Amino acid sequence: MKVIPRSRADEEDIDNFTDYLNANKDLWIGIVKVVSFLVIFVAGVILGLAASAHVTRYVTSSHTGLFYSSHNFPVPSHKKNCFTLSNCKEDDFLGMKGFVNPTYLTHSMTDDELFWRASMVPKKDAYPYNRVPKVAFMFLTRGPLPFMPLWEKFFRGHEELFSIYVHTLPGYESNVTNTSVFYGRQIPNQDVQWGSITMLDGERRLLANALLDFSNERFVLLSESCIPIYDFKTVYKYLIGSSHSFVESYDEPTRYGRGRYSGRMYPNIKLTQWRKGSQWFEMNRALAVEIISDNEYYSVFGKYCKPTCYPDEHYLPTYINMFHGQMNANRTVTWVDWSIRSPHPATFGRHDITEGFIQSLRNNGTACSYNSKRTYVCHLFARKFSPDALEPLLNISSTVMKF
């Protein structure tokens, strides 16, 4: 076949057509890129909004529940219908005030979460707010507090210097007016059995909840049968001014002391380190943090100090003797009468309450050490009193206890 040669005009037409195709190709590629970018951008925005909503719900329901209240435990508030975060926009939940001084005691933390949260210690010494040290009064009780009117009289006029925490048995709800200093002061509780490790669980639970308030400097454990035998100013000055904690700790070489030691505690705890003491303690903040932070020795007691061992009489005296003896005065500030031969101390009722009796508790001739000096003011509280003692105690509180 004979090939017909292309003319110059034909070649120019072909080149122009090729340039046209290439230009259209580049245009379509550009359009595809723009459309693809817009699709990816829109998809990214949608995914971002969805993820943001998920994180917000997680933080609100999970992290806020860890440090404050979850929706399972509505937080009481002075604001109308303020039971969820969305209805409480004016409250600074993550601000300084809520962190250093939680307003409400209701929360959904487990004990492990609570103790971890309470064990946090600021590295910076100076406080970024005007810190007034307070005394935390912690009541470990089965139910009602029969001496509440006496305690209310004791606390009156000193609201900035104390905090109250009440641990009851599960299911009990205190019936107090909203004007009482005990109103809303119950902490989340669990079952507590006398003579078991659960008694210590309750004590540590009270300590941990009280530690959440950074202004609490001293911590005193009390029962429903305890009463104050001095006025608030005397008690406050005594405790805040002390350079030691008050946890009774002594060696008891009988079956009631060393006889309760289990060899299975060795080598963590040796018999020579074993101590006994009153359950009713008072301690400073530094020691309280150490107590709720201990896992190793507390676990040993949980395994081997069974009911006949009475862990509430041995754990604190032993642990503090082993590691923090220099911080402790080795005595209690709560008086009790063990003169009778019984698993429980003597109980005092209506007919025992006289001015002379209370004076004998305040000044019984016993000397002790306070900040390395000799003193005759050794006890600030007393137990064990029956509910019918309330009326006569109220009658003499102003003349004898001075409040």
Side-chain angles (χ1 to χ4, degrees):
M1 179 182 295
K2 184 179 180 179
V3 178
I4 302 175
R6 296 177 180 171
S7 68
R8 185 175 183 82
D10 293 336
E11 290 180 354
E12 288 179 356
D13 289 340
I14 292 173
D15 290 340
N16 290 335
F17 182 71
T18 301
D19 292 339
Y20 173 78
L21 291 178
N22 290 336
N24 280 284
K25 180 180 179 181
D26 292 340
L27 177 63
W28 280 107
I29 291 175
I31 293 173
V32 170
K33 287 183 178 180
V34 171
V35 172
S36 300
F37 173 78
L38 290 174
V39 170
I40 294 173
F41 176 77
V42 171
V45 170
I46 294 173
L47 289 175
L49 291 174
S52 176
H54 173 75
V55 170
T56 301
R57 287 195 300 272
Y58 177 77
V59 171
T60 300
S61 63
S62 179
H63 287 74
T64 303
L66 177 61
F67 288 90
Y68 299 95
S69 291
S70 74
H71 299 300
N72 293 328
F73 294 87
V75 179
S77 173
H78 298 295
K79 295 184 178 65
K80 185 177 180 180
N81 298 325
C82 183
F83 289 98
T84 62
L85 294 181
S86 60
N87 293 331
C88 307
K89 294 180 180 178
E90 296 181 11
D91 289 336
D92 190 8
F93 282 91
L94 298 179
M96 191 65 181
K97 184 178 179 181
F99 179 73
V100 301
N101 182 16
T103 306
Y104 308 111
L105 303 186
T106 303
H107 59 74
S108 61
M109 287 185 281
T110 64
D111 279 355
D112 286 340
E113 292 170 339
L114 173 64
F115 296 156
W116 174 80
R117 168 70 174 81
S119 67
M120 294 181 179
V121 178
K123 184 70 174 177
K124 189 176 179 63
D125 292 332
Y127 290 91
Y129 64 100
N130 182 27
R131 181 180 185 265
V132 177
K134 297 189 296 186
V135 177
F137 292 83
M138 309 179 302
F139 293 85
L140 184 62
T141 173
R142 289 166 292 186
L145 294 170
F147 295 104
M148 187 181 296
L150 184 69
W151 283 106
E152 288 177 327
K153 192 175 180 183
F154 167 80
F155 288 126
R156 190 172 300 151
H158 307 286
E159 285 72 15
E160 301 301 318
L161 302 177
F162 69 87
S163 300
I164 295 174
Y165 301 85
V166 182
H167 186 296
T168 66
L169 292 179
Y172 176 78
E173 296 183 6
S174 60
N175 184 22
V176 296
T177 64
N178 58 8
T179 59
S180 171
V181 292
F182 287 88
Y183 178 74
R185 302 313 297 176
Q186 280 185 250
I187 67 170
N189 51 47
Q190 295 185 33
D191 189 31
V192 170
Q193 297 294 330
W194 180 73
S196 74
I197 196 69
T198 59
M199 183 75 76
L200 275 175
D201 292 336
E203 295 177 15
R204 300 213 310 168
R205 201 171 292 123
L206 279 165
L207 273 178
N209 278 277
L211 281 167
L212 297 182
D213 187 335
F214 279 78
S215 292
N216 286 331
E217 185 61 32
R218 308 292 302 205
F219 306 78
V220 56
L221 181 69
L222 302 159
S223 74
E224 69 269 26
S225 67
C226 287
I227 65 167
I229 57 177
Y230 284 94
D231 62 283
F232 182 89
K233 288 184 179 179
T234 300
V235 171
Y236 180 84
K237 182 179 179 180
Y238 194 99
L239 297 180
I240 294 295
S242 175
S243 56
H244 297 89
S245 295
F246 298 96
V247 182
E248 191 175 53
S249 177
Y250 60 91
D251 181 20
E252 176 62 69
T254 68
R255 65 188 181 95
Y256 300 108
R258 295 183 190 176
R260 295 174 179 174
Y261 172 79
S262 170
R264 290 179 292 180
M265 293 183 175
Y266 185 89
N268 300 83
I269 303 172
K270 303 178 180 64
L271 178 59
T272 55
Q273 298 170 320
W274 186 253
R275 293 294 185 271
K276 182 181 178 179
S278 171
Q279 171 188 5
W280 310 103
F281 62 78
E282 192 286 332
M283 63 180 62
N284 62 23
R285 188 174 186 88
L287 185 56
V289 171
E290 295 293 338
I291 296 304
I292 61 100
S293 300
D294 170 48
N295 288 323
E296 180 179 354
Y297 297 91
Y298 194 76
S299 297
V300 172
F301 268 81
K303 290 179 181 179
Y304 305 121
C305 191
K306 297 306 180 181
T308 55
C309 168
Y310 301 104
D312 56 287
E313 294 183 9
H314 294 281
Y315 169 69
L316 285 180
T318 299
Y319 180 76
I320 293 174
N321 170 67
M322 292 174 64
F323 301 107
H324 307 288
Q326 75 282 358
M327 301 172 64
N328 188 33
N330 283 340
R331 64 181 178 91
T332 179
V333 289
T334 301
W335 179 88
V336 67
D337 182 7
W338 283 104
S339 62
I340 60 174
R341 297 181 62 86
S342 170
H344 302 282
T347 300
F348 301 95
R350 181 184 189 90
H351 300 293
D352 298 302
I353 307 304
T354 63
E355 290 191 12
F357 174 67
I358 300 299
Q359 288 287 10
S360 71
L361 301 184
R362 290 159 55 98
N363 304 291
N364 57 16
T366 301
C368 59
S369 177
Y370 176 80
N371 289 347
S372 302
K373 295 181 180 180
R374 186 180 177 87
T375 181
Y376 289 95
V377 180
C378 301
H379 299 105
L380 306 176
F381 314 99
R383 62 184 302 266
K384 183 176 184 182
F385 293 83
S386 60
D388 65 349
L390 174 61
E391 184 179 352
L393 283 170
L394 286 173
N395 292 337
I396 66 173
S397 62
S398 59
T399 58
V400 181
M401 287 92 88
K402 307 300 181 182
F403 63 82

